[in-house]
């Protein structure tokens, strides 16, 4: 059974909370089949986020990543296992 988490759902949440000027969300779950956190469906567990936001101005990379993690906290609680973040 999958997590029901989609790239589009993550994209919508990040767009709503972080007002990004650039945003790309890629579901990389299929590349992690058999790894920890994979649920066997190939979807909804491992994502890559590339994001630029005016909210990142003046913040360290750690603070920028924390904003992304905080925005997606409920997805993590629902089964999002891995999140690779590239802030731009």
């Amino acid at each position: 059974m999958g997590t029901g988490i989609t790239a589009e759902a993550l994209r919508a949440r990040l767009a709503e909370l972080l007002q990004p000027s650039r945003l790309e969300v890629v579901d990389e779950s299929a590349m992690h089949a058999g790894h920890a956190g994979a649920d066997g469906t190939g979807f909804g567990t491992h994502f890559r986020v590339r994001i630029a936001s005016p909210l990142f101005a003046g913040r360290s990379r750690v603070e920028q990543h924390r904003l992304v993690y905080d925005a997606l906290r409920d997805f993590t609680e629902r089964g999002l296992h891995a999140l690779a973040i590239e802030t731009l």
Side-chain angles (χ1 to χ4, degrees), residues 25-67:
V25 180
V26 179
D27 188 340
E28 297 182 339
S29 302
M31 296 188 315
H32 297 274
H35 295 182
D39 65 6
T41 67
F43 300 98
T45 58
H46 295 70
F47 290 88
R48 177 170 304 276
V49 172
R50 293 180 186 96
I51 184 170
S53 170
L55 299 177
F56 295 162
R59 297 181 190 260
S60 71
R61 182 165 294 182
V62 170
E63 291 170 323
Q64 293 170 4
H65 285 212
R66 176 56 51 207
L67 287 174

Side-chain angles (χ1 to χ4, degrees), residues 14-22 52-55:
L14 292 168
E16 174 189 354
L17 297 179
L18 300 182
Q19 299 95 43
S21 55
R22 181 172 172 204
S53 170
L55 299 177

Side-chain angles (χ1 to χ4, degrees), residues 68-88:
V68 174
Y69 283 120
D70 287 348
L72 300 177
R73 182 181 318 266
D74 64 315
F75 291 99
T76 303
E77 293 168 357
R78 289 177 30 219
L80 172 62
H81 175 74
L83 186 63
I85 300 171
E86 299 173 34
T87 53
L88 309 169

